[in-house]
Amino acid sequence: LDIEAMRRAAQDPGQSATGVLTVADVDLAVELDTQVMQLTLKSSHPQALPSRVAQSMDMRELFGRVSMQACVLSQSKNRTVYRLLGTSHDVAHWQPDPKLPDMDVWRPYYPNELFPSEKIWIPALLEPVRQAYLTTPDLLELYLPDAALPEDATLAYLVGRKPDQSGVW
């Protein structure tokens, strides 16, 4: 037993009294606990990427249909950030906010019931888009302000709402 070597090691912040190299916890990227056989990466344990994330269209398009391991980097009420193991990718998965803003009193958009100043240009611009994208798979109801748009208006502010949800969408 070399007492002098142990004293020198105790004074060196990178060495413990037993001569084993130590590293401060904040400097660790990977920690393996051999007593419980648990791997920790940046204070998070690897786990299978949740299926709701892995099966999303974006994930399937980028990575295909493969199983992935990930660690949770951060988590909040509506967002979880995962680090994918074996890649240099982080994935942020957002939960939809169930609380939609309240809708003021608006008049529904019906092309045949617009004010004369609006019938001139709104249906010609909006109807092709509405028919192509806002009727299927989920209907999106559109609303205009209660007052008629000015005669020289070139912009219309519309609000969308899904019939099965409260508030605007």
Side-chain angles (χ1 to χ4, degrees):
L1 190 63
D2 186 356
I3 301 294
E4 191 57 39
M6 290 178 74
R7 283 188 188 134
R8 282 193 309 269
Q11 292 172 353
D12 183 3
Q15 297 265 337
S16 70
T18 62
V20 176
L21 181 65
T22 60
V23 179
D25 286 346
V26 295
D27 297 331
L28 288 177
V30 179
E31 177 184 331
L32 178 61
D33 187 339
T34 55
Q35 290 181 335
V36 292
M37 292 307 293
Q38 186 173 41
L39 179 68
T40 304
L41 299 171
K42 297 246 184 207
S43 74
S44 181
H45 305 291
Q47 60 187 1
L49 189 64
S51 60
R52 70 183 183 285
V53 179
Q55 297 303 321
S56 71
M57 185 174 61
D58 292 336
M59 292 295 290
R60 286 195 320 246
E61 186 176 321
L62 288 171
F63 300 104
R65 292 182 182 267
V66 296
S67 61
M68 290 180 263
Q69 294 287 310
C71 291
V72 176
L73 292 181
S74 67
Q75 194 166 16
S76 61
K77 183 177 178 184
N78 292 321
R79 179 188 61 113
T80 305
V81 179
Y82 300 95
R83 167 134 321 141
L84 301 180
L85 299 182
T87 70
S88 58
H89 298 292
D90 292 345
V91 175
H93 183 261
W94 290 85
Q95 296 291 334
D97 188 357
K99 299 176 296 186
L100 296 172
D102 292 331
M103 197 167 101
D104 296 336
V105 178
W106 295 78
R107 64 184 159 100
Y109 168 80
Y110 295 115
N112 297 332
E113 297 179 10
L114 295 172
F115 289 107
S117 64
E118 300 164 344
K119 279 187 182 179
I120 297 169
W121 63 279
I122 293 179
L125 293 173
L126 184 59
E127 279 305 298
V129 174
R130 190 179 73 82
Q131 293 297 326
Y133 301 106
L134 304 179
T135 56
T136 59
D138 293 325
L139 174 68
L140 185 67
E141 296 173 346
L142 298 175
Y143 294 85
L144 289 157
D146 289 328
L149 294 176
E151 293 288 331
D152 62 345
T154 58
L155 175 83
Y157 179 75
L158 285 86
V159 172
R161 183 178 82 77
K162 289 188 176 184
D164 59 342
Q165 296 179 352
S166 63
V168 297
W169 183 75

